[in-house]
């Protein structure tokens, strides 16, 4: 009985403690709702905008994505994807906040694109040029103290509308929060957690806390931290007594031990919360929550990367910050769907290229188990061209002048803000100080011996430098130096980074590593990233054996991964890119995206996705792709066998996957190239239950099974086996499109103004088979408390307006995204098309 009572008491105390932790209210307030917005093509002052010109918006907000695609923008829109983004955006919001002489109020912007000026009650708070870094202001000196409403105003100058690479969006496109704190408080970004010692039995958590006293008197208080695990159980607790002089701050260090820690990794991303409270006179005056993970990271120049002591390959993808039809103001649910698809494909890491990610994006990576390379800058001392790489002499016109103009003054502040905001995220395992910076320093490009005469299809990718290391070094010593030195700038950026965090390696994405190793650029780098230079993996390891090397921008092709798997010293890669992104246009109108993604802009999978899934996963996978033999990469030889037209071509495949289909609809007896992307050891192919033979993966050097099959109406079935596990995949000849099929990946969403539902429309025949050779114009009707975010069929050449309730399918399908409002109920979405019966799906808003 005594044991039972003890257990019941312990259980009560644990539940009681947990419920108290649940009841802890954060001191930050969502400040995204009920803003007013006006877009002008004239540069006005805020007080020149009249009340009737504003319209209501909720944040995050990207005004660019609402624009129609415009072919008349021509070259100026290569960076943005033919969406007009020029303008001056005016935002304002009225609000009340209780005034208290013992409290302060701050406003935090996670990102405003860009060149923003912020005002409170007509008083200017400041200017912030960088569109990708967070910043905040103290509002207290200017708030009304008589109960009168306050007005916060933001002016965004995006007249330089092609000022970054690539699609930027414009406006207050990330979250805004309002903070109200006691004058004795932990400020914004005021904690830093590291885990310097980890064993299976124990982890030491080092918590550095910045305590700020803005009172005019000295203050004594208790700083108490409790640690909560991801089951909401308290696992540790520590108190510290503090004494802070008037109008000053101190840094308090707390070392807390956690027994039997659950480690954060890519498969089991366990998270902890440190809830730190300031207690004074037996009252809690602030609670500050820091989410963190316990894990170790290590790079070895000979054996690669280790997470929690386990050697593993980094299976990474590069992502720009746009989310397709939602532009740069990406709801969390949109990122979650996209990241889950990539995770299912085997990706375990993300490089946020080429600028810092949003706080919300990093939270998802923490929760889902992605390693993240957080990249600070795409421009340093000298400007980049925003239309075409290496055309810097032509990029000095007004619309392309970007962060390079602010770098000297703002780089340290922006880097500092990003790191203070991001450094507690366990997902971040590298800080990248720059992307492909070298060509903006002319002597570095010239010193390589070929870069000025390179071919994007040829020597740069597949040839070693024509100059020896001695020749390159001599070139760097004799070529004229510019105003700025790349090595000195790299050292400066690395120094700033390590002053704020020594627990993660500093890296950069190098487009010219042969020169960068000798220019001083790589000296401050802990890990050297090679951009499209897998041909130099052995060269780099031989000449610089003490430097860990990895691919930081590579092609989503088999040859890239093969090169990494054959080399233990290469830690892994980041492929360009995980998802098609808007901008970097290289083809004539109407192409609107850079189509190098493993997913298209609607999040639908491409051939490269399936290829990488077969390489990055142990579970068996089969994907069948087909194409008319003349349009394919294959031929039927004289013996009747299907072979590659160019047997060596796969070794130099570049960004875009070959043109293949996902259907079995051709003309009778037409010779079809059947490609199967699989990790199965053996596959047998059947057409209408007749075997077309068994083949082994080991017989295909390019990792692609091939059959030449005369088309016959019916069913194509692939049966594979891997490690004793059997798997089947099939394609069925579809008839005429007679039905609309709607499906949603989210059946229930919350009435919170944020949650989204993705509705996928697929044309089908009478038997429910997907029809991928027919396209129809579709109109959606939405009834209920939901907002239409837009439609996207994912086709690179689709220039239909995103924010519309009608659009055309591509390969028989399209994507619709809706967003919940703040009322509960049911939302009914009906899709209609000429000559097809309408179809309805219901989403619950709860």
């Amino acid at each position: 009985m005594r044991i039972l009572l003890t257990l019941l008491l312990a259980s009560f105390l644990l539940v009681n403690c947990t419920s108290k932790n649940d009841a802890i209210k954060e001191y930050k307030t969502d400040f995204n709702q009920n803003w007013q917005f006006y877009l002008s093509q004239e540069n006005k002052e805020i007080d020149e905008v009249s009340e009737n010109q504003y319209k209501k918006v909720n944040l995050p907000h990207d005004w660019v994505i609402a624009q129609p695609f415009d072919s008349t923008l021509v070259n100026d829109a290569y960076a943005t994807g033919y969406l007009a983004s020029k303008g001056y955006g005016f935002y304002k919001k009225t609000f009340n906040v209780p005034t208290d002489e013992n409290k302060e109020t701050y406003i935090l912007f996670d990102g405003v694109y860009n060149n923003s000026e912020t005002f409170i009650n007509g008083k200017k708070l400041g200017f912030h040029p960088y569109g990708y870094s967070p910043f905040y202001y103290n509002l207290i000196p200017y708030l009304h103290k008589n109960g009168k409403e306050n007005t916060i105003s933001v002016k965004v100058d995006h007249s330089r509308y092609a000022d970054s690479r690539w699609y930027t969006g414009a406006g207050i496109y990330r979250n805004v929060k309002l903070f109200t704190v006691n004058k004795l408080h932990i400020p914004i970004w005021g904690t830093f957690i590291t885990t310097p010692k980890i064993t299976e039995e124990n982890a030491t958590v080092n918590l550095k806390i910045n305590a700020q006293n803005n009172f005019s008197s000295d203050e004594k208080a208790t700083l108490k931290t409790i640690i909560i695990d991801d089951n909401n159980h308290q696992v540790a607790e520590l108190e510290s007594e503090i004494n802070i002089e008037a109008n000053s701050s101190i840094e308090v260090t707390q070392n807390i031990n956690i027994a039997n820690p659950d480690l954060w990794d890519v498969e089991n991303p366990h998270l902890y919360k440190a809830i730190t409270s300031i207690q004074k006179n037996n009252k809690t005056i602030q609670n500050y929550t820091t989410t963190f993970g316990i894990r170790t990271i290590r790079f070895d120049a000979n054996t690669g990367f280790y997470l929690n002591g386990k050697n593993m390959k980094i299976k990474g993808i590069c992502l720009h910050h746009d989310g397709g039809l939602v532009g740069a103001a990406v709801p969390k649910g949109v990122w979650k769907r996209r990241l889950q698809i990539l995770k299912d494909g085997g990706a375990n890491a993300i490089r946020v290229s080429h600028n810092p990610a949003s706080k919300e994006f990093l939270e998802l990576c923490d929760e889902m188990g992605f390693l993240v390379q957080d990249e600070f800058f795409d421009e340093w001392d000298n400007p980049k061209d925003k239309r075409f790489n290496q055309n810097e002499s032509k990029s000095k016109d007004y619309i392309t002048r970007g962060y390079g103009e602010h770098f000297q003054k703002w780089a340290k502040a922006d880097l500092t803000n990003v790191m203070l905001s991001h450094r507690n995220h366990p997902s971040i395992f590298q800080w990248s100080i720059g992307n492909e910076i070298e060509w903006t320093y002319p002597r570095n490009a010239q010193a390589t011996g070929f870069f000025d005469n390179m071919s994007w299809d040829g020597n740069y990718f597949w040839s070693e430098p024509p100059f020896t290391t001695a020749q390159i070094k001599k070139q760097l010593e004799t070529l004229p130096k510019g105003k700025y030195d790349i090595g000195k700038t790299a050292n400066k950026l690395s120094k700033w980074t390590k002053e704020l965090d020594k627990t993660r390696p500093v890296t950069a994405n190098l487009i010219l590593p042969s020169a960068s190793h000798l220019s001083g650029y790589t000296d401050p780098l802990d890990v050297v990233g090679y951009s499209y230079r897998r041909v130099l993996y052995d060269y780099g390891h031989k000449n610089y054996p003490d430097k860990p090397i990895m691919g930081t921008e590579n092609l989503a092709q088999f040859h890239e991964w093969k090169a990494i798997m054959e080399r233990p010293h290469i830690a892994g890669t980041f492929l360009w890119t995980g998802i098609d992104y808007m901008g970097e246009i290289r083809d004539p109108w109407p192409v609107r995206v850079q189509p190098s993604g493993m997913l298209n802009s609607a999040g639908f999978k491409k051939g490269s996705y399936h290829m990488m899934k077969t390489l990055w996963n142990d579970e068996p996978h089969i994907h069948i792709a087909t194409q008319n033999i003349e349009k394919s990469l294959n031929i039927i030889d004289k013996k009747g066998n299907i072979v590659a037209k160019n047997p060596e071509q796969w070794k130099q495949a570049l960004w875009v996957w070959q043109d293949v289909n996902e259907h079995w609809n051709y003309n009778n007896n037409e010779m079809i190239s059947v490609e199967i992307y699989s990790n199965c050891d053996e596959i047998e192919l059947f057409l209408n239950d007749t075997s077309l033979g068994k083949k082994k993966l080991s017989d295909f050097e390019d990792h692609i099974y091939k059959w030449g099959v005369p088309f016959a109406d019916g069913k194509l079935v692939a049966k594979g086996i891997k490690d004793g596990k059997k798997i089947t995949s099939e394609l069925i000849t579809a008839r005429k499109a007679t039905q609309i099929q709607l499906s949603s990946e989210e059946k229930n969403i919350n009435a919170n103004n944020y949650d989204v539902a993705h509705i996928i429309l697929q044309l089908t025949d009478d038997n429910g088979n997907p029809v991928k050779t027919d396209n129809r114009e579709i109109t959606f009707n939405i009834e209920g408390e939901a907002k239409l975010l837009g439609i996207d069929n994912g086709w690179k050449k689709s220039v239909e307006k995103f924010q519309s309730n009608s659009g055309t399918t591509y390969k028989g399908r399209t994507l619709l995204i809706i967003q919940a409002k703040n009322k509960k109920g049911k939302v009914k979405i009906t899709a209609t098309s000429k000559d097809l019966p309408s179809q309805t799906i219901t989403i619950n808003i709860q």
Side-chain angles (χ1 to χ4, degrees):
M1 177 62 71
R2 182 178 298 172
I3 294 173
L4 178 60
L5 288 174
T6 301
L7 290 173
L8 288 172
L9 178 61
S11 176
F12 170 77
L13 291 173
L14 180 60
V15 171
N16 190 48
C17 175
T18 300
S19 64
K20 283 183 179 179
N21 294 332
D22 287 341
I24 287 174
K25 292 184 178 180
E26 292 289 353
Y27 63 101
K28 56 191 174 185
T29 303
D30 184 325
F31 208 59
N32 287 335
Q33 308 302 313
N34 302 314
W35 285 72
Q36 301 290 318
F37 171 70
Y38 169 64
L39 177 61
S40 173
Q41 293 303 312
E42 299 177 10
N43 189 5
K44 301 180 179 182
E45 299 300 323
I46 283 182
D47 57 11
E48 294 180 303
V49 182
S50 61
E51 286 294 323
N52 62 7
Q53 290 180 296
Y54 284 100
K55 67 175 183 178
K56 180 182 174 182
V57 297
N58 290 335
L59 307 181
H61 177 248
D62 173 8
W63 81 61
V64 179
I65 202 63
Q67 308 303 314
F69 291 97
D70 185 355
S71 63
T72 65
L73 295 172
V74 293
N75 292 8
D76 289 345
Y78 283 0
T80 62
Y82 292 108
L83 287 175
S85 57
K86 177 183 177 182
Y88 302 86
F90 297 86
Y91 293 85
K92 73 171 185 173
K93 177 181 170 76
T94 56
F95 65 102
N96 281 315
V97 59
T99 55
D100 185 327
E101 63 180 7
N102 295 324
K103 293 184 179 180
E104 294 184 339
T105 299
Y106 297 84
I107 188 168
L108 168 65
F109 295 91
D110 195 38
V112 180
Y113 207 89
N114 62 344
N115 296 312
S116 66
E117 295 176 278
T118 305
F119 303 81
I120 180 71
N121 298 326
K123 305 294 184 181
K124 186 172 179 178
L125 293 170
F127 169 69
H128 189 81
Y130 197 30
Y132 302 103
S133 62
F135 58 100
Y136 63 89
Y137 298 113
N138 187 348
L139 303 183
I140 279 296
Y142 311 104
L143 290 177
H144 294 308
K145 296 177 174 60
N146 55 6
K148 182 181 177 182
E149 280 193 330
N150 300 284
T151 301
I152 188 91
S153 304
V154 180
K155 177 183 175 182
V156 176
D157 178 357
H158 200 223
S159 53
R160 302 177 181 186
Y161 60 90
D163 63 342
S164 184
R165 302 183 325 148
W166 300 100
Y167 177 87
T168 64
I172 308 178
Y173 74 103
R174 292 181 179 173
N175 290 320
V176 180
K177 295 187 184 299
L178 196 70
F179 292 74
T180 300
V181 295
N182 190 280
K183 284 190 174 181
L184 175 62
H185 64 277
I186 301 169
I188 295 170
W189 313 326
T191 62
F192 180 35
I193 293 181
T194 58
T195 51
K197 184 178 179 181
I198 302 171
T199 66
E200 288 187 11
E201 295 78 24
N202 188 72
T204 300
V205 176
N206 179 270
L207 175 60
K208 295 188 184 302
I209 306 162
N210 181 6
Q212 178 78 38
N213 176 22
N214 289 342
F215 285 107
S216 56
S217 59
D218 296 353
E219 296 292 325
K220 293 182 178 180
T222 300
L223 209 59
K224 179 180 178 179
T225 297
I226 60 174
I227 306 292
I228 308 298
D229 67 15
D230 52 9
N231 291 315
N232 212 26
H233 296 155
Q234 180 175 324
V235 296
E237 178 179 328
L238 185 68
E239 290 186 4
S240 304
E241 300 301 319
I242 58 173
N243 188 356
I244 315 179
E245 295 180 357
N247 297 307
S248 65
S249 65
I250 61 171
E251 184 178 84
V252 180
T253 299
Q254 292 183 333
N255 287 303
I256 304 175
N257 292 322
I258 296 178
N260 304 313
D262 292 321
L263 302 187
W264 184 97
D265 64 29
V266 296
E267 295 176 353
N268 298 290
H270 294 289
L271 295 172
Y272 289 85
K273 289 182 180 179
I275 302 174
T276 304
S277 60
I278 298 181
Q279 299 173 354
K280 183 179 176 184
N281 299 327
N282 295 319
K283 290 184 179 180
T284 298
I285 61 175
Q286 184 190 12
N287 291 299
Y288 190 107
T289 299
T290 309
T291 301
F292 69 98
I294 300 173
R295 52 103 180 102
T296 64
I297 53 177
R298 180 169 68 90
F299 283 85
D300 184 276
N302 295 310
T303 55
F305 174 65
Y306 294 79
L307 178 63
N308 298 326
K310 180 183 177 181
N311 187 228
M312 60 176 282
K313 291 292 188 184
I314 296 163
K315 303 170 182 176
I317 45 93
C318 299
L319 288 178
H320 270 300
H321 79 159
D322 80 81
L325 67 88
V326 296
V330 189
K332 190 172 184 178
V334 171
W335 272 130
K336 187 172 183 178
R337 171 183 176 256
R338 290 171 157 232
L339 293 180
Q340 188 60 59
I341 296 170
L342 293 168
K343 185 85 173 178
D344 293 343
N348 62 21
I350 296 166
R351 172 174 170 245
V352 289
S353 44
H354 301 296
N355 310 98
S358 70
K359 183 77 171 172
E360 198 167 57
F361 180 90
L362 295 173
E363 290 169 352
L364 269 175
C365 293
D366 291 342
E367 296 163 9
M368 299 178 72
F370 282 99
L371 296 163
V372 174
Q373 182 192 105
D374 208 4
E375 195 154 73
F376 299 140
F377 304 117
D378 189 41
E379 274 185 322
W380 288 358
D381 302 303
N382 303 314
K384 281 187 178 178
D385 177 61
K386 314 305 188 304
R387 301 184 182 96
F388 288 104
N389 297 338
Q390 304 177 71
N391 288 339
E392 276 62 45
S393 63
K394 301 177 183 177
S395 70
K396 296 179 181 178
D397 52 326
Y398 181 81
I399 67 168
T400 65
R401 284 157 59 184
Y403 188 68
E405 302 210 341
H406 302 286
F407 181 80
Q408 307 304 324
K409 179 178 179 181
W410 285 89
K412 185 174 184 179
D414 286 322
L415 183 150
T416 299
N417 281 9
V418 170
M419 290 192 65
L420 293 178
S421 175
H422 293 182
R423 64 183 179 174
N424 288 315
H425 289 280
S427 55
I428 296 177
F429 79 126
Q430 292 178 321
W431 301 112
S432 172
I433 59 175
N435 167 65
E436 296 185 354
I437 296 293
E438 300 101 311
W439 77 67
T440 64
Y441 297 81
R443 61 192 284 266
N444 292 272
Q446 295 170 24
T448 62
F450 71 78
F451 195 75
D452 285 343
N453 300 305
M454 62 171 284
S455 163
W456 285 110
D457 298 318
N459 62 339
Y460 171 70
F461 290 97
W462 321 119
S463 303
E464 289 196 7
F467 289 176
T468 65
T469 54
Q471 288 174 312
I472 293 172
K473 187 175 182 179
K474 184 177 180 180
Q475 290 285 316
L476 289 169
E477 291 171 348
T478 57
L479 286 168
K481 295 184 178 181
K483 181 178 180 181
Y484 301 104
D485 179 81
I486 193 171
K488 291 180 180 179
T489 300
N491 271 279
K492 177 173 63 177
L493 293 172
S494 180
K495 176 177 176 289
W496 293 341
T497 302
K498 292 183 178 182
E499 286 173 351
L500 295 170
D501 180 19
K502 293 183 175 67
T503 70
R504 298 173 174 93
V506 174
T507 188
N509 185 42
L510 306 186
I511 193 79
L512 297 170
S514 57
S516 295
H517 277 291
L518 297 166
S519 67
Y521 188 0
T522 63
D523 292 352
L525 302 183
D526 302 301
V527 179
V528 182
Y530 283 16
S531 183
Y532 303 110
R533 300 301 278 138
R534 70 163 175 81
V535 71
L536 293 190
Y537 288 161
D538 295 334
Y539 168 98
H541 188 54
K542 176 184 176 181
N543 289 297
Y544 312 99
D546 296 328
K547 282 287 186 182
I549 295 171
M550 66 174 293
T552 41
E553 191 165 318
N554 297 98
L555 305 154
Q557 300 284 353
F558 171 58
H559 63 77
E560 290 279 17
W561 190 245
K562 182 175 183 289
I564 291 166
M565 291 304 294
E566 292 172 346
R567 292 165 174 81
H569 61 278
I570 301 300
T573 184
F574 291 99
L575 303 179
W576 192 265
T577 54
I579 308 172
D580 287 354
Y581 57 96
M582 290 188 287
E584 194 170 15
I585 305 303
R586 294 293 177 262
D587 295 311
W589 170 269
V591 171
R592 61 176 170 88
V593 297
Q594 170 48 242
S596 59
M598 292 159 57
L599 308 178
N600 66 24
S601 59
F604 299 143
K605 303 166 187 174
K606 299 189 196 177
S608 54
Y609 173 90
H610 293 285
M611 170 57 77
M612 299 315 299
K613 184 172 183 177
T614 71
L615 300 171
W616 284 355
N617 287 278
D618 292 329
E619 284 299 307
H621 179 64
I622 291 176
H623 177 74
I624 306 173
T626 65
Q627 184 54 278
N628 172 283
I629 194 74
E630 283 78 18
K631 295 180 181 179
S632 77
L633 299 182
N634 306 310
I635 58 172
I636 305 299
D637 67 14
K638 294 179 180 179
K639 296 181 180 179
N641 298 317
I642 186 168
V643 295
K645 293 175 183 175
N646 179 356
E648 300 295 309
Q649 185 172 350
W650 70 272
K651 297 177 181 180
Q652 298 185 354
L654 293 173
W655 290 278
V656 180
W657 197 255
Q658 58 256 39
D659 180 16
V660 290
N661 301 313
E662 297 179 342
H663 63 72
W664 189 241
N665 281 76
Y666 296 95
N667 299 318
N668 282 337
N669 294 318
E670 183 179 4
M671 181 57 72
I672 305 302
S673 168
V674 177
E675 297 183 353
I676 296 181
Y677 316 137
S678 180
N679 53 7
C680 289
D681 304 313
E682 181 180 274
I683 289 179
E684 186 172 9
L685 188 65
F686 296 84
L687 178 58
N688 297 329
D689 298 325
T690 299
S691 175
L692 303 179
K694 291 183 180 179
K695 297 189 178 185
K696 295 183 181 297
L697 185 59
S698 57
D699 293 333
F700 296 95
E701 190 183 15
D702 60 358
H703 204 76
I704 298 176
Y705 284 96
K706 302 175 189 64
W707 274 266
V709 182
F711 176 77
D713 191 287
K715 184 186 292 187
L716 192 67
V717 179
K719 296 183 179 181
I721 186 168
K722 182 180 189 296
D723 300 328
K725 294 182 180 180
K726 295 181 179 180
I727 185 175
T728 299
S729 182
E730 63 183 33
L731 293 179
I732 300 175
T733 304
R735 309 305 175 192
K736 179 182 177 182
T738 58
Q739 305 289 331
I740 293 173
Q741 181 187 84
L742 295 179
S743 61
S744 178
E745 299 166 11
E746 302 92 354
K747 305 298 183 185
N748 304 288
I749 56 177
N750 296 312
N752 57 12
N753 288 312
Y754 292 109
D755 279 10
V756 297
H758 298 81
I759 293 93
I760 296 174
L761 179 147
Q762 176 68 60
L763 301 178
T764 68
D765 64 15
D766 283 337
N767 296 317
N769 298 315
V771 177
K772 299 187 177 182
T773 56
D774 188 10
N775 292 303
R776 304 294 181 90
E777 185 174 341
I778 304 291
T779 299
F780 291 96
N781 182 55
I782 301 171
E783 298 179 33
E785 296 298 322
K787 174 186 176 182
L788 168 75
L789 291 185
I791 303 174
D792 182 14
N793 63 21
W795 188 31
K796 66 179 182 179
K797 292 187 177 182
S798 173
V799 287
E800 296 176 329
K801 194 172 187 288
F802 284 135
Q803 294 188 1
S804 171
N805 71 329
S806 64
T808 307
T809 63
Y810 176 62
K811 295 185 177 180
R813 67 184 170 185
T814 196
L815 170 72
L816 165 75
I817 304 180
I818 62 169
Q819 187 170 49
K821 296 182 182 178
N822 59 358
K823 292 182 181 180
K824 297 180 181 180
K826 294 185 181 296
V827 175
K828 186 167 73 172
I829 301 103
T830 302
T832 60
S833 183
K834 184 179 179 181
D835 300 327
L836 297 180
S838 61
Q839 181 71 21
T840 298
I841 190 171
T842 300
I843 306 295
N844 295 315
I845 312 291
Q846 58 191 19

